[in-house]
Amino acid sequence: MNELSAELQQKTRDVEPLKGINQKLVLAKGQIGQFYQDRFAARDSELAAEMGKLASENGVRILQAKYKQEDPTGVGIVPTEIEGNFSGDYLQLVRFINALERSKQFFAVDSISLAGESSGPVKLEVKMHSYLRSGA
């Protein structure tokens, strides 16, 4: 009897997180929708505008930026690969990368490479990705 009682208590603890799962799913769907609305752009021009704003705020010059939309996912987003070339002094470029990663618009930096002369601006090449809302 004690074994069965202990087993019942264990199983009750195991299923506790599942209580109210229907309401949790509805809440999670709403939160995902809000996340997409707040963090993913509707058009790639919004990505360009945000990147331009961040570059300007940090004293960085955009030399070139390429956007390549990938195949849409089944969850309402379109992955977008971004390759950009920028120039500025080292500290400005560090602040720019930090601003990209902290931006409300979702940018994930995948790789960076720096090149420069002993005097003058540093050139930065960044590969990153973001997402667009599909059907927006």
Side-chain angles (χ1 to χ4, degrees), residues 80-96:
T80 303
E81 183 179 292
I82 304 167
E83 291 184 23
N85 294 313
F86 307 90
S87 72
D89 71 34
Y90 182 78
L91 186 57
Q92 291 170 325
L93 292 171
V94 168
R95 288 183 179 147
F96 172 66

Side-chain angles (χ1 to χ4, degrees), residues 7-22 24:
E7 186 179 335
L8 175 63
Q9 288 176 350
Q10 181 60 42
K11 294 208 183 277
T12 302
R13 280 192 299 270
D14 290 346
V15 298
E16 186 69 32
L18 299 176
K19 285 188 177 177
I21 193 74
N22 292 340
K24 291 177 183 178

Side-chain angles (χ1 to χ4, degrees), residues 22-41:
N22 292 340
Q23 293 86 359
K24 291 177 183 178
L25 287 173
V26 170
L27 176 63
K29 285 180 182 179
Q31 290 172 332
I32 289 170
Q34 190 62 47
F35 179 83
Y36 283 10
Q37 186 73 29
D38 293 344
R39 303 291 304 260
F40 297 158

